Amino acid sequence: MTTSDEQLGLTPGARIWRRAHSTFAACVYFFLLMPSLIVVPMSFGDKREIMFPPANFSLTLYQEYFFASTWMATTLQSLKVALASAAISLVVGFLAAYALVRYDFPGKRLLNLLLLSPILVPVIIVALGTYLYFSSLGITGTTAALVVAHSVHTVPFVIVTLMAGLRHVDPNLERVAELMGASRMTVLRRVTLPLLKPALFAGAMFAFLISFDEVVLSWFISNTLTQTLPVKMYSSIQWEVSPVIAAVSTILTVLSLVACLISAAMQKPS
Amino acid sequence: MATAALARPGSRSDLPILLAPVSALLVLVFFVPLCFVLFYSVYDGGFTTKAFVSLAKSGLFIRVLGTSFDIALSATLFSILLGYPIALHLSRQPPRRRALLLILVLLPFWTSILVKSFAFYVILGNQGIINQALRLAFGDAGTLKLLFNRVGVIVGMAHFLIPFVVFPVLASLLAQNPELRRAAQIMGAGPVRIFLRITLPLSMPGVVAGGLMSMVISLGVFVTPALLGGKSDIMMANLIDFYTRDTLDWNTAAAIAVILLSLSAVLIALLSWVRRDEGVA
């Protein structure tokens, strides 16, 4: 199945082509990795300057992040919003994914498209619309507003992940349990959900991270009291770049790496 | 799927319960907001099309529209140029190695746009890594302006877009029959000719799909031009933000959003047409 160019015996021209191509690919991989590689050493620099490599190494930026500023408050706010919207989109997304995988009904294709539309429409438009709508309701700036706005944005990712997961859960197992007299709730609790655990975990992780990193919706909907971490980072980079961002970025990079490994692991079975 | 439904006739009665929460969420926090955008685009104390009329005559808006297309196209082309070789490289790797390398492609996708903006600030700035290296090599004449201009925006956006190019291209490369290349080689074709006559043409649907997706994403981009671009790199999203928050002109902000929405809709329609034609999901 793999092409095995080796079997054919490479001509010198082919060897040069391959070498050139691999070198170029390596450069692009490096370009992709570079931002993540840079923020880590930066985070151990000091408060004075933003330079790479940092002149002297210290933990002051982490100290500043954890103790001496409003960074922690915004982080906690982001954590709260991300946990709540992950929970909402997990429940709502599971029900929808179950309907889409286990049932056939007219308009299913259309519904599928509609459910994914929040990721296709540019976020700025949804952000503006939500801002106008929530302003008319008088709820902009509340944490609840942030949570529901984020949930709409995260639920398509959860649905896609859970649909893939549900396709690997044999519906016959559910049917057998039902034939043996288990109620629908028992089947769900004892058969479907346990078998779906990896996908549920991945879906929750994706939703959490997307919400935790979301900036455009939060920029429009939050106020100074409900500011999230990305909004604070955004305004900080825009006005005067605080070196503390390096420490924040390192923590976020670790989170991204975890999500990345999970999504890579999710791709294998399918 | 079909068998499950057949085995439980009448169980469709569950459907409303399963679909009600997601429908409520989508209608209330997605479709109603979109309607608010449509409404405000033609409403300013009374129904009017004045926002669209004045946008059509506004030099600022025309310039921003041009900038948006310019940046979106450049960033898309740049991402295809960088993403295609990656996809080709991945398609020639054994599955296990490919899975490992795919993590490198996924990482930018899962990395916060703000982390990346900060990193590019460190890389491209006047005191940044590239300029330090250039000064080391060429002295003070070696400083290049890479940040707060078009270069910064395009580099930052390409980094973000590459995964969206790599995945569809990789899919269409993996779908190719390797025997074709083998046959061409036996007939005496060199690697460059094989690439230009077989591999590249057969992967065009993936390239087009990835390119259209990149265009949709980059036309609506907000953070990158604001943080890595200069004054002349303002895009539609930034203008929407400006009218909403700085001048409180919701009418104009909504009208720009409607224009952006229509442009995205055309591109998405094209994208789904390309994909349906191909049959590759």
Tab-separated table of all heavy atoms in Angstrom, chain A residues 101-150:
chain	number	residue	atom	x	y	z
A	101	VAL	N	-26.837	9.974	14.768
A	101	VAL	CA	-26.198	8.706	14.410
A	101	VAL	C	-27.188	7.552	14.466
A	101	VAL	O	-27.201	6.679	13.604
A	101	VAL	CB	-24.989	8.427	15.330
A	101	VAL	CG1	-24.425	7.035	15.097
A	101	VAL	CG2	-23.909	9.463	15.071
A	102	ARG	N	-28.073	7.551	15.461
A	102	ARG	CA	-28.917	6.376	15.682
A	102	ARG	C	-30.269	6.431	14.973
A	102	ARG	O	-30.967	5.426	14.913
A	102	ARG	CB	-29.164	6.203	17.183
A	102	ARG	CG	-27.961	5.711	17.943
A	102	ARG	CD	-27.708	4.233	17.688
A	102	ARG	NE	-26.706	3.728	18.597
A	102	ARG	CZ	-25.400	3.640	18.300
A	102	ARG	NH1	-24.983	4.010	17.100
A	102	ARG	NH2	-24.544	3.210	19.183
A	103	TYR	N	-30.673	7.592	14.468
A	103	TYR	CA	-32.006	7.694	13.855
A	103	TYR	C	-31.891	8.173	12.426
A	103	TYR	O	-30.947	8.866	12.069
A	103	TYR	CB	-32.901	8.665	14.637
A	103	TYR	CG	-33.187	8.234	16.045
A	103	TYR	CD1	-32.289	8.537	17.063
A	103	TYR	CD2	-34.352	7.539	16.361
A	103	TYR	CE1	-32.541	8.144	18.365
A	103	TYR	CE2	-34.613	7.147	17.668
A	103	TYR	CZ	-33.702	7.453	18.659
A	103	TYR	OH	-33.947	7.066	19.944
A	104	ASP	N	-32.905	7.763	11.642
A	104	ASP	CA	-33.029	8.302	10.303
A	104	ASP	C	-34.297	9.130	10.263
A	104	ASP	O	-35.343	8.657	10.699
A	104	ASP	CB	-33.149	7.170	9.276
A	104	ASP	CG	-31.870	7.031	8.497
A	104	ASP	OD1	-31.158	8.043	8.376
A	104	ASP	OD2	-31.587	5.919	8.028
A	105	PHE	N	-34.208	10.351	9.781
A	105	PHE	CA	-35.421	11.168	9.726
A	105	PHE	C	-35.283	12.163	8.591
A	105	PHE	O	-34.162	12.470	8.154
A	105	PHE	CB	-35.660	11.879	11.071
A	105	PHE	CG	-34.482	12.619	11.606
A	105	PHE	CD1	-34.263	13.951	11.267
A	105	PHE	CD2	-33.574	11.987	12.445
A	105	PHE	CE1	-33.173	14.632	11.761
A	105	PHE	CE2	-32.465	12.675	12.932
A	105	PHE	CZ	-32.269	13.992	12.594
A	106	PRO	N	-36.398	12.620	8.072
A	106	PRO	CA	-36.313	13.580	6.964
A	106	PRO	C	-35.648	14.870	7.422
A	106	PRO	O	-35.816	15.295	8.576
A	106	PRO	CB	-37.783	13.820	6.583
A	106	PRO	CG	-38.576	13.355	7.746
A	106	PRO	CD	-37.790	12.285	8.412
A	107	GLY	N	-34.849	15.458	6.545
A	107	GLY	CA	-34.174	16.716	6.887
A	107	GLY	C	-32.914	16.525	7.696
A	107	GLY	O	-32.376	17.486	8.248
A	108	LYS	N	-32.435	15.271	7.794
A	108	LYS	CA	-31.259	15.022	8.613
A	108	LYS	C	-29.999	15.701	8.064
A	108	LYS	O	-29.229	16.292	8.815
A	108	LYS	CB	-31.038	13.510	8.682
A	108	LYS	CG	-29.957	13.097	9.637
A	108	LYS	CD	-30.102	11.634	9.960
A	108	LYS	CE	-28.762	10.946	9.974
A	108	LYS	NZ	-28.865	9.556	10.411
A	109	ARG	N	-29.841	15.655	6.743
A	109	ARG	CA	-28.671	16.293	6.128
A	109	ARG	C	-28.660	17.791	6.390
A	109	ARG	O	-27.635	18.386	6.719
A	109	ARG	CB	-28.664	16.044	4.618
A	109	ARG	CG	-28.088	14.727	4.217
A	109	ARG	CD	-28.086	14.617	2.704
A	109	ARG	NE	-27.118	15.525	2.113
A	109	ARG	CZ	-25.906	15.143	1.717
A	109	ARG	NH1	-25.552	13.895	1.830
A	109	ARG	NH2	-25.073	16.004	1.194
A	110	LEU	N	-29.841	18.398	6.237
A	110	LEU	CA	-29.971	19.834	6.457
A	110	LEU	C	-29.643	20.180	7.908
A	110	LEU	O	-28.905	21.130	8.189
A	110	LEU	CB	-31.380	20.297	6.096
A	110	LEU	CG	-31.639	21.790	6.274
A	110	LEU	CD1	-30.857	22.583	5.248
A	110	LEU	CD2	-33.124	22.114	6.161
A	111	LEU	N	-30.198	19.372	8.827
A	111	LEU	CA	-29.954	19.620	10.245
A	111	LEU	C	-28.461	19.531	10.554
A	111	LEU	O	-27.904	20.365	11.266
A	111	LEU	CB	-30.731	18.604	11.092
A	111	LEU	CG	-30.631	18.851	12.596
A	111	LEU	CD1	-31.416	20.077	12.985
A	111	LEU	CD2	-31.094	17.640	13.386
A	112	ASN	N	-27.833	18.500	9.958
A	112	ASN	CA	-26.403	18.326	10.134
A	112	ASN	C	-25.634	19.596	9.739
A	112	ASN	O	-24.759	20.069	10.461
A	112	ASN	CB	-25.959	17.174	9.223
A	112	ASN	CG	-24.906	16.326	9.890
A	112	ASN	OD1	-24.122	16.831	10.685
A	112	ASN	ND2	-24.901	15.055	9.583
A	113	LEU	N	-26.016	20.160	8.604
A	113	LEU	CA	-25.367	21.373	8.104
A	113	LEU	C	-25.636	22.555	9.037
A	113	LEU	O	-24.735	23.327	9.375
A	113	LEU	CB	-25.874	21.683	6.697
A	113	LEU	CG	-25.123	22.778	5.961
A	113	LEU	CD1	-23.743	22.286	5.547
A	113	LEU	CD2	-25.902	23.238	4.737
A	114	LEU	N	-26.905	22.672	9.484
A	114	LEU	CA	-27.262	23.785	10.369
A	114	LEU	C	-26.487	23.706	11.679
A	114	LEU	O	-26.043	24.724	12.212
A	114	LEU	CB	-28.766	23.774	10.656
A	114	LEU	CG	-29.673	24.239	9.519
A	114	LEU	CD1	-31.132	24.112	9.928
A	114	LEU	CD2	-29.348	25.666	9.115
A	115	LEU	N	-26.318	22.468	12.183
A	115	LEU	CA	-25.624	22.309	13.457
A	115	LEU	C	-24.157	22.709	13.339
A	115	LEU	O	-23.541	23.130	14.308
A	115	LEU	CB	-25.717	20.862	13.940
A	115	LEU	CG	-27.106	20.399	14.386
A	115	LEU	CD1	-27.056	18.971	14.872
A	115	LEU	CD2	-27.615	21.290	15.505
A	116	LEU	N	-23.597	22.547	12.132
A	116	LEU	CA	-22.193	22.908	11.958
A	116	LEU	C	-22.009	24.373	11.576
A	116	LEU	O	-20.891	24.874	11.562
A	116	LEU	CB	-21.551	22.019	10.887
A	116	LEU	CG	-21.467	20.539	11.227
A	116	LEU	CD1	-20.751	19.779	10.129
A	116	LEU	CD2	-20.734	20.335	12.549
A	117	SER	N	-23.119	25.063	11.243
A	117	SER	CA	-22.977	26.425	10.719
A	117	SER	C	-22.277	27.400	11.675
A	117	SER	O	-21.615	28.316	11.199
A	117	SER	CB	-24.319	26.970	10.253
A	117	SER	OG	-25.273	26.874	11.251
A	118	PRO	N	-22.383	27.234	13.020
A	118	PRO	CA	-21.641	28.184	13.859
A	118	PRO	C	-20.141	28.189	13.604
A	118	PRO	O	-19.477	29.193	13.885
A	118	PRO	CB	-21.947	27.709	15.287
A	118	PRO	CG	-23.249	27.035	15.176
A	118	PRO	CD	-23.252	26.370	13.822
A	119	ILE	N	-19.565	27.090	13.063
A	119	ILE	CA	-18.123	27.171	12.776
A	119	ILE	C	-17.866	27.732	11.388
A	119	ILE	O	-16.758	28.109	11.080
A	119	ILE	CB	-17.346	25.836	12.907
A	119	ILE	CG1	-18.257	24.636	13.000
A	119	ILE	CG2	-16.387	25.886	14.053
A	119	ILE	CD1	-17.488	23.347	13.237
A	120	LEU	N	-18.873	27.754	10.507
A	120	LEU	CA	-18.629	28.250	9.152
A	120	LEU	C	-18.813	29.760	9.051
A	120	LEU	O	-18.129	30.423	8.291
A	120	LEU	CB	-19.568	27.547	8.166
A	120	LEU	CG	-19.253	26.065	7.951
A	120	LEU	CD1	-20.299	25.415	7.068
A	120	LEU	CD2	-17.876	25.886	7.333
A	121	VAL	N	-19.749	30.297	9.822
A	121	VAL	CA	-19.976	31.745	9.797
A	121	VAL	C	-18.838	32.435	10.554
A	121	VAL	O	-18.490	32.023	11.649
A	121	VAL	CB	-21.333	32.079	10.458
A	121	VAL	CG1	-21.496	33.578	10.594
A	121	VAL	CG2	-22.463	31.491	9.650
A	122	PRO	N	-18.229	33.474	9.972
A	122	PRO	CA	-17.145	34.177	10.674
A	122	PRO	C	-17.565	34.613	12.083
A	122	PRO	O	-18.658	35.166	12.265
A	122	PRO	CB	-16.882	35.393	9.775
A	122	PRO	CG	-17.300	34.963	8.422
A	122	PRO	CD	-18.446	34.024	8.619
A	123	VAL	N	-16.698	34.351	13.047
A	123	VAL	CA	-17.032	34.608	14.454
A	123	VAL	C	-17.399	36.063	14.698
A	123	VAL	O	-18.252	36.360	15.523
A	123	VAL	CB	-15.850	34.252	15.386
A	123	VAL	CG1	-16.320	34.121	16.808
A	123	VAL	CG2	-15.162	33.009	14.931
A	124	ILE	N	-16.744	36.957	13.956
A	124	ILE	CA	-16.990	38.388	14.183
A	124	ILE	C	-18.473	38.713	13.976
A	124	ILE	O	-19.040	39.529	14.708
A	124	ILE	CB	-16.084	39.239	13.245
A	124	ILE	CG1	-16.268	40.722	13.492
A	124	ILE	CG2	-16.310	38.963	11.782
A	124	ILE	CD1	-15.570	41.242	14.683
A	125	ILE	N	-19.118	38.043	13.012
A	125	ILE	CA	-20.527	38.320	12.731
A	125	ILE	C	-21.397	37.826	13.883
A	125	ILE	O	-22.300	38.529	14.342
A	125	ILE	CB	-20.938	37.662	11.394
A	125	ILE	CG1	-20.117	38.279	10.259
A	125	ILE	CG2	-22.427	37.815	11.137
A	125	ILE	CD1	-20.269	37.577	8.942
A	126	VAL	N	-21.104	36.599	14.350
A	126	VAL	CA	-21.850	36.063	15.493
A	126	VAL	C	-21.614	36.944	16.713
A	126	VAL	O	-22.546	37.226	17.482
A	126	VAL	CB	-21.422	34.608	15.789
A	126	VAL	CG1	-22.314	34.001	16.852
A	126	VAL	CG2	-21.459	33.773	14.522
A	127	ALA	N	-20.365	37.404	16.868
A	127	ALA	CA	-20.038	38.249	18.026
A	127	ALA	C	-20.852	39.545	17.984
A	127	ALA	O	-21.446	39.936	18.998
A	127	ALA	CB	-18.540	38.554	18.047
A	128	LEU	N	-20.909	40.168	16.816
A	128	LEU	CA	-21.680	41.409	16.694
A	128	LEU	C	-23.158	41.143	16.971
A	128	LEU	O	-23.795	41.865	17.752
A	128	LEU	CB	-21.506	42.007	15.289
A	128	LEU	CG	-22.401	43.209	14.971
A	128	LEU	CD1	-22.008	44.402	15.820
A	128	LEU	CD2	-22.351	43.573	13.492
A	129	GLY	N	-23.704	40.085	16.345
A	129	GLY	CA	-25.118	39.761	16.531
A	129	GLY	C	-25.442	39.481	17.987
A	129	GLY	O	-26.437	39.982	18.530
A	130	THR	N	-24.586	38.696	18.635
A	130	THR	CA	-24.816	38.370	20.038
A	130	THR	C	-24.749	39.629	20.893
A	130	THR	O	-25.544	39.811	21.814
A	130	THR	CB	-23.782	37.332	20.509
A	130	THR	OG1	-23.693	36.305	19.532
A	130	THR	CG2	-24.191	36.704	21.820
A	131	TYR	N	-23.794	40.503	20.552
A	131	TYR	CA	-23.658	41.754	21.289
A	131	TYR	C	-24.925	42.610	21.151
A	131	TYR	O	-25.472	43.102	22.145
A	131	TYR	CB	-22.434	42.508	20.772
A	131	TYR	CG	-22.277	43.910	21.311
A	131	TYR	CD1	-21.804	44.124	22.604
A	131	TYR	CD2	-22.601	45.016	20.523
A	131	TYR	CE1	-21.658	45.406	23.091
A	131	TYR	CE2	-22.448	46.302	21.011
A	131	TYR	CZ	-21.978	46.495	22.295
A	131	TYR	OH	-21.842	47.754	22.780
A	132	LEU	N	-25.431	42.745	19.910
A	132	LEU	CA	-26.639	43.550	19.682
A	132	LEU	C	-27.834	42.940	20.405
A	132	LEU	O	-28.616	43.649	21.065
A	132	LEU	CB	-26.941	43.627	18.178
A	132	LEU	CG	-25.905	44.338	17.297
A	132	LEU	CD1	-26.261	44.196	15.824
A	132	LEU	CD2	-25.784	45.789	17.693
A	133	TYR	N	-27.966	41.623	20.300
A	133	TYR	CA	-29.091	40.913	20.904
A	133	TYR	C	-29.034	40.995	22.425
A	133	TYR	O	-30.007	41.354	23.094
A	133	TYR	CB	-29.048	39.472	20.397
A	133	TYR	CG	-30.018	38.501	21.006
A	133	TYR	CD1	-31.353	38.838	21.226
A	133	TYR	CD2	-29.603	37.209	21.316
A	133	TYR	CE1	-32.231	37.908	21.753
A	133	TYR	CE2	-30.490	36.278	21.838
A	133	TYR	CZ	-31.796	36.638	22.059
A	133	TYR	OH	-32.659	35.715	22.574
A	134	PHE	N	-27.877	40.679	22.978
A	134	PHE	CA	-27.736	40.698	24.437
A	134	PHE	C	-27.857	42.114	24.989
A	134	PHE	O	-28.334	42.305	26.111
A	134	PHE	CB	-26.403	40.062	24.864
A	134	PHE	CG	-26.404	38.558	24.776
A	134	PHE	CD1	-25.280	37.818	25.130
A	134	PHE	CD2	-27.536	37.859	24.359
A	134	PHE	CE1	-25.278	36.435	25.057
A	134	PHE	CE2	-27.545	36.469	24.280
A	134	PHE	CZ	-26.407	35.754	24.631
A	135	SER	N	-27.433	43.118	24.212
A	135	SER	CA	-27.610	44.497	24.667
A	135	SER	C	-29.090	44.820	24.790
A	135	SER	O	-29.517	45.472	25.750
A	135	SER	CB	-26.973	45.481	23.686
A	135	SER	OG	-25.616	45.262	23.607
A	136	SER	N	-29.866	44.345	23.817
A	136	SER	CA	-31.301	44.635	23.877
A	136	SER	C	-31.950	43.911	25.051
A	136	SER	O	-32.955	44.354	25.580
A	136	SER	CB	-31.977	44.247	22.557
A	136	SER	OG	-32.160	42.864	22.493
A	137	LEU	N	-31.367	42.774	25.459
A	137	LEU	CA	-31.887	42.069	26.634
A	137	LEU	C	-31.276	42.616	27.917
A	137	LEU	O	-31.703	42.259	29.014
A	137	LEU	CB	-31.559	40.572	26.545
A	137	LEU	CG	-32.164	39.774	25.397
A	137	LEU	CD1	-31.629	38.339	25.449
A	137	LEU	CD2	-33.683	39.763	25.466
A	138	GLY	N	-30.245	43.430	27.781
A	138	GLY	CA	-29.563	43.968	28.955
A	138	GLY	C	-28.708	42.952	29.699
A	138	GLY	O	-28.511	43.064	30.903
A	139	ILE	N	-28.185	41.933	28.982
A	139	ILE	CA	-27.363	40.941	29.689
A	139	ILE	C	-25.918	40.901	29.196
A	139	ILE	O	-25.176	39.976	29.541
A	139	ILE	CB	-27.978	39.517	29.585
A	139	ILE	CG1	-28.180	39.124	28.125
A	139	ILE	CG2	-29.262	39.411	30.382
A	139	ILE	CD1	-28.526	37.657	27.960
A	140	THR	N	-25.476	41.886	28.391
A	140	THR	CA	-24.044	41.851	28.014
A	140	THR	C	-23.225	42.055	29.263
A	140	THR	O	-23.627	42.752	30.182
A	140	THR	CB	-23.648	42.980	27.026
A	140	THR	OG1	-24.389	44.136	27.363
A	140	THR	CG2	-23.870	42.591	25.596
A	141	GLY	N	-22.038	41.445	29.247
A	141	GLY	CA	-21.147	41.609	30.380
A	141	GLY	C	-21.369	40.589	31.480
A	141	GLY	O	-20.566	40.504	32.389
A	142	THR	N	-22.441	39.798	31.400
A	142	THR	CA	-22.633	38.794	32.437
A	142	THR	C	-21.891	37.511	32.075
A	142	THR	O	-21.660	37.224	30.905
A	142	THR	CB	-24.116	38.454	32.637
A	142	THR	OG1	-24.616	37.904	31.413
A	142	THR	CG2	-24.925	39.681	32.997
A	143	THR	N	-21.530	36.762	33.116
A	143	THR	CA	-20.842	35.498	32.883
A	143	THR	C	-21.763	34.512	32.161
A	143	THR	O	-21.318	33.772	31.282
A	143	THR	CB	-20.375	34.908	34.225
A	143	THR	OG1	-19.512	35.868	34.837
A	143	THR	CG2	-19.623	33.618	34.042
A	144	ALA	N	-23.042	34.530	32.500
A	144	ALA	CA	-23.987	33.618	31.846
A	144	ALA	C	-24.038	33.870	30.348
A	144	ALA	O	-24.079	32.924	29.549
A	144	ALA	CB	-25.373	33.785	32.454
A	145	ALA	N	-24.001	35.140	29.956
A	145	ALA	CA	-24.011	35.479	28.532
A	145	ALA	C	-22.787	34.902	27.839
A	145	ALA	O	-22.877	34.345	26.740
A	145	ALA	CB	-24.055	36.994	28.357
A	146	LEU	N	-21.634	35.018	28.496
A	146	LEU	CA	-20.403	34.467	27.931
A	146	LEU	C	-20.530	32.955	27.759
A	146	LEU	O	-20.138	32.397	26.739
A	146	LEU	CB	-19.223	34.775	28.853
A	146	LEU	CG	-18.580	36.140	28.732
A	146	LEU	CD1	-17.573	36.338	29.850
A	146	LEU	CD2	-17.897	36.276	27.385
A	147	VAL	N	-21.091	32.304	28.789
A	147	VAL	CA	-21.186	30.843	28.761
A	147	VAL	C	-22.058	30.369	27.599
A	147	VAL	O	-21.650	29.501	26.828
A	147	VAL	CB	-21.726	30.305	30.105
A	147	VAL	CG1	-22.064	28.821	29.995
A	147	VAL	CG2	-20.707	30.521	31.205
A	148	VAL	N	-23.246	30.953	27.421
A	148	VAL	CA	-24.100	30.472	26.326
A	148	VAL	C	-23.491	30.814	24.966
A	148	VAL	O	-23.551	30.002	24.036
A	148	VAL	CB	-25.561	30.982	26.411
A	148	VAL	CG1	-26.314	30.240	27.482
A	148	VAL	CG2	-25.641	32.466	26.556
A	149	ALA	N	-22.886	31.994	24.853
A	149	ALA	CA	-22.265	32.355	23.575
A	149	ALA	C	-21.140	31.382	23.224
A	149	ALA	O	-21.025	30.930	22.087
A	149	ALA	CB	-21.728	33.784	23.634
A	150	HIS	N	-20.339	31.028	24.232
A	150	HIS	CA	-19.267	30.065	23.982
A	150	HIS	C	-19.828	28.690	23.657
A	150	HIS	O	-19.283	27.971	22.827
A	150	HIS	CB	-18.346	29.971	25.199
A	150	HIS	CG	-17.357	31.087	25.292
A	150	HIS	ND1	-16.257	31.042	26.090
A	150	HIS	CD2	-17.314	32.288	24.666
A	150	HIS	CE1	-15.566	32.164	25.972
A	150	HIS	NE2	-16.203	32.935	25.117
